[in-house]
Each structure stands twice: as structure tokens, then as C-alpha cells.
Amino acid sequence: MAQAKFWKFLSEVRYEVKKVSWPNRKQLLSTTSAVVFVLLVSGAFLGLLDILFTNVIRNVLIAITGGI
């Protein structure tokens, strides 16, 4: 019984995959490059924030503890 459900599931998956509108090469490269660009910009922004906050917290701790 479980095996019949499994094969029916695979048959339905195959049917649904045929209905998918796959991107062409130009669309794929365009969207991939957009994603990579956003990731690089976000990574740079978060890296700069990390450096900024690290320095601010370090200076606050030095001021509080007197530099020990």
C-alpha cells in the first residue's frame, strides 16, 4: 500500500515539474548576478557595522574600566 502511494507521489511530482516555467540562460544569469551583487553589498555593509560597533564597544569598555 505504501509503495503504491510512493509511486503515485512520484508520478504527480513529474506532472507538476512539467508545468514549471524554467528560466532561459539570460534570465538565469541576470537574476544570479543580482543575487550575488545584493549579497556582496549586504556583506560589506554588515562587515562595516561590525567594525564600527566593535570599536565603539571597545572604547566604551576602556572608558569604563580605565584601560585595564
Side-chain angles (χ1 to χ4, degrees):
M1 187 65 158
Q3 193 173 16
K5 286 183 180 181
F6 174 73
W7 289 113
K8 182 178 183 220
F9 171 74
L10 284 183
S11 172
E12 291 173 358
V13 167
R14 188 174 179 189
Y15 174 73
E16 291 296 327
V17 167
K18 287 181 181 180
K19 295 192 308 186
V20 173
S21 172
W22 298 100
N24 60 31
R25 183 174 177 84
K26 184 178 178 183
Q27 292 170 328
L28 181 66
L29 292 175
S30 173
T31 55
T32 301
S33 61
V35 168
V36 169
F37 175 75
V38 169
L39 287 174
L40 290 173
V41 169
S42 299
F45 177 71
L46 291 174
L48 290 173
L49 281 179
D50 181 48
I51 292 169
L52 174 73
F53 288 136
T54 299
N55 288 331
V56 168
I57 292 172
R58 179 183 297 127
N59 291 336
V60 167
L61 289 174
I62 288 173
I64 291 173
T65 61
I68 56 172

